[in-house]
Amino acid sequence: MADEKNDIETGSRPVPDTDTSWNEEVIVARELQHRNTILHKLRQGEEWLDAKMGIETRGIDRIPDEERRPPSIWNVFFLWWSLNMHVGVLPLGILGPEFGLSLNQSVAASVVGIILGALCTSYTGTLGPKLGLRAGGGYMVVNLVVVGQVLSAVSDYKLTITVGIVIIAVVGYVVSLFGFRVVHTFEKYWWMLTLVLMLVLLGQIAPYVDAGIVPQGDTGLSLAGNFLTILAINFSNSSGWCSIASDYYVNYPSKTPSWKIFALTFWGIVIPTTLVTVTGCCLSNAAITAAVPRFAEAYEDHGLGGLIRETYHPIGWSKFCLVILMFSVLGNNVANAYSSGLSLQLLGHYFHAVPRFLWSLVWVVVVAVLAIAGQEHLSTIVSNFVSLLGYWTISFTLVLLVEDQWFRRREGYNLLVWDQPSKLPIGAAAVTALLAGYLAGGVSGMSQTWYIGPIAAKFGGTGGDVGIYLSAVFTLIVYPPLRGFERSKTGR
């Protein structure tokens, strides 16, 4: 049994076979809560909410195998359907024609980006069962703006976008309070009605789609640059989950086959994201490329919400669909709100001592304020903010990949010291590699409305976003030798 426990907890490295050693992981945060009056009150408030409402009080603390209560393995697959089958993904498809791409080009760039991004999230997710540790990590701003536009369309444009933003932010936060088990159950079913409405939306816009129209504008290298930019945006969206995927797998047994987690995550992301993004491409083709008058006018005057309202018909059915679609983003927002609290707890013992529900509240308020401030600039938010994530997510994934598959291939992990900085890697190699990837690769290869890097500018026009590829190259050049040097000097 002792050998089996060592395998589960640390790979091949031996650890003390005692029941009390586990308590050392959370003792620092608990001591801070007892010594500090404010933290103590917050802890009491969290316990009261748990007693009255059943909210989850476990934060980033590692979950040992004997305490894990895994849901069905199929939840891994259906979780991602709720996270990606929603109206907030449609803007990713809308962008193609705005960048001068035809329908076929838009779909191709989007699908390739989705697949490459899903590979990143699928790999990092495999570390959840293996380690039992959270990773922490949004796309919430886009979701909230889209929902605001949809609610405004339902009200015949009498309500402001701000009202929808506030409503959906509050509801998503409340659901996220209940933690892992409720989130998994919620995400398992929430996508189903949205799938039906997305298929209906695709069917009702299909007669107005003209794939034969090729927009007049950029050609050659400039067109290639636009294609790469759309690919990068979709990559960033799918890979943007890489830092939080393991949060939802920590209750699965450590011996869960990695290939199952990888495959279910990959297809769980690719299938729904592709469906919704392609629907967005079709909407944009009808409104921008084919410029069907009523769709073009609706999109110009009222944004995506107005375009969806005009597509569904008759009007009574359209408003019903809009109401349902407004709440479709809850699956995504609940996950973001849940993981944001865990992300902030990772910043140190004092952050760990603050209950997750409070950090999640801070996150939701900040995101709601950003959405309200940027509600008139949805396309700019999507094309700039989302693509910026990709420069970081590719570096993050490659650092984990090299560390796990090369440096930890034989020795495994001593998981009993996960929150003891003196026994963990100092992180200099990882930070340097991330900075090199982002600054040397991402900045030089980015194509944004506010800045075009020198390499991206070589494509002409608005540039071609090649930041993710350059970030990957610089990360792989910098991290392995620096990490080897770090290990030789520190022994950890």
Side-chain angles (χ1 to χ4, degrees):
M1 283 296 293
D3 288 341
E4 182 179 352
K5 180 175 181 179
N6 290 345
D7 288 342
I8 291 175
E9 296 290 324
T10 65
S12 60
R13 175 183 288 180
V15 297
D17 190 7
T18 66
D19 293 330
T20 58
S21 62
W22 172 250
N23 294 328
E24 296 175 5
E25 295 193 358
V26 297
I27 194 170
V28 175
R30 296 295 179 261
E31 286 180 349
L32 287 172
Q33 290 172 342
H34 284 295
R35 291 201 307 262
N36 186 289
T37 302
I38 296 177
L39 293 177
H40 183 64
K41 293 293 184 183
L42 288 173
R43 176 63 180 176
Q44 287 181 323
E46 184 181 44
E47 292 173 346
W48 181 86
L49 288 171
D50 183 32
K52 298 295 184 181
M53 301 171 56
I55 73 167
E56 181 182 274
T57 58
R58 183 188 289 271
I60 58 171
D61 315 332
R62 181 177 176 267
I63 305 176
D65 261 86
E66 61 271 17
E67 294 183 19
R68 299 184 188 185
R69 300 294 181 269
S72 166
I73 191 67
W74 285 103
N75 277 37
V76 173
F77 179 71
F78 292 120
L79 165 75
W80 297 104
W81 278 72
S82 279
L83 266 59
N84 294 287
M85 178 62 66
H86 62 87
V87 70
V89 176
L90 287 173
L92 296 172
I94 294 287
L95 285 176
E98 292 190 355
F99 276 77
L101 300 185
S102 68
L103 178 63
N104 293 337
Q105 293 164 342
S106 297
V107 171
S110 298
V111 172
V112 172
I114 291 167
I115 290 173
L116 293 177
L119 290 172
C120 295
T121 300
S122 301
Y123 171 71
T124 58
T126 64
L127 300 178
K130 182 177 180 179
L131 306 181
L133 287 168
R134 319 282 190 168
Y139 193 65
M140 272 185 70
V141 174
V142 175
N143 293 343
L144 295 179
V145 173
V146 172
V147 164
Q149 291 183 353
V150 168
L151 181 60
S152 178
V154 173
S155 69
D156 296 325
Y157 311 110
K158 295 175 183 176
L159 289 178
T160 65
I161 295 175
T162 301
V163 175
I165 290 174
V166 173
I167 291 174
I168 211 70
V170 171
V171 175
Y173 169 70
V174 171
V175 176
S176 74
L177 292 178
F178 294 92
F180 179 91
R181 192 166 298 278
V182 171
V183 169
H184 254 279
T185 302
F186 180 87
E187 305 289 5
K188 185 177 181 180
Y189 302 106
W190 193 249
W191 58 272
M192 295 181 179
L193 184 55
T194 307
L195 171 61
V196 174
L197 295 184
M198 283 294 171
L199 292 174
V200 173
L201 182 64
L202 186 58
Q204 294 202 300
I205 196 64
Y208 306 96
V209 173
D210 190 344
I213 300 179
V214 178
Q216 299 299 314
D218 295 328
T219 58
L221 198 59
S222 182
L223 179 62
N226 293 337
F227 184 93
L228 290 173
T229 298
I230 296 300
L231 190 156
I233 291 170
N234 282 274
F235 169 87
S236 301
N237 174 65
S238 294
S239 67
W241 298 105
C242 70
S243 65
I244 69 173
S246 63
D247 291 355
Y248 303 98
Y249 302 157
V250 293
N251 267 289
Y252 289 101
S254 59
K255 292 190 175 181
T256 302
S258 293
W259 70 266
K260 286 187 178 181
I261 297 294
F262 184 94
L264 290 171
T265 301
F266 178 79
W267 291 113
I269 293 173
V270 169
I271 296 174
T273 308
T274 298
L275 174 61
V276 180
T277 303
V278 169
T279 302
C281 291
C282 291
L283 288 170
S284 190
N285 175 271
I288 299 176
T289 308
V292 178
R294 63 191 182 95
F295 296 133
E297 183 179 343
Y299 184 62
E300 178 68 25
D301 294 342
H302 304 291
L304 180 57
L307 177 56
I308 297 173
R309 172 189 158 117
E310 193 64 35
T311 303
Y312 283 123
H313 54 272
I315 189 62
W317 164 250
S318 179
K319 289 187 176 182
F320 169 79
C321 294
L322 287 169
V323 171
I324 301 300
L325 289 178
M326 183 180 78
F327 289 101
S328 68
V329 301
L330 280 178
N332 184 287
N333 286 14
V334 165
N336 270 295
Y338 175 72
S339 288
S340 64
L342 299 173
S343 301
L344 291 168
Q345 284 187 325
L346 285 168
L347 295 178
H349 292 310
Y350 279 95
F351 289 87
H352 184 187
V354 176
R356 176 184 62 83
F357 79 88
L358 188 60
W359 286 128
S360 293
L361 177 61
V362 171
W363 173 265
V364 169
V365 170
V366 170
V367 170
V369 170
L370 291 175
I372 292 170
Q375 59 185 271
E376 302 298 335
H377 308 284
L378 178 60
S379 293
T380 302
I381 294 173
V382 175
S383 60
N384 287 344
F385 171 73
V386 176
S387 60
L388 287 176
L389 292 176
Y391 314 144
W392 174 80
T393 57
I394 186 63
S395 295
F396 177 85
T397 302
L398 290 175
V399 166
L400 287 183
L401 179 65
V402 172
E403 181 70 21
D404 185 58
Q405 298 297 317
W406 180 256
F407 292 108
R408 304 284 184 151
R409 184 176 70 257
R410 295 178 180 174
E411 67 185 64
Y413 301 84
N414 184 356
L415 298 176
L416 297 182
V417 300
W418 70 271
D419 66 342
Q420 301 176 38
S422 62
K423 298 179 180 179
L424 296 174
I426 61 175
V431 171
T432 303
L434 288 171
L435 289 175
Y438 206 97
L439 298 178
V443 172
S444 62
M446 71 167 55
S447 174
Q448 309 292 331
T449 57
W450 47 273
Y451 177 76
I452 299 177
I455 297 179
K458 298 296 183 181
F459 288 88
T462 57
D465 200 319
V466 292
I468 55 174
Y469 316 107
L470 295 176
S471 293
V473 170
F474 279 100
T475 301
L476 288 174
I477 290 174
V478 172
Y479 185 68
L482 282 187
R483 179 67 175 125
F485 178 77
E486 182 180 87
R487 284 166 61 90
S488 69
K489 295 299 181 181
T490 64
R492 49 192 172 101

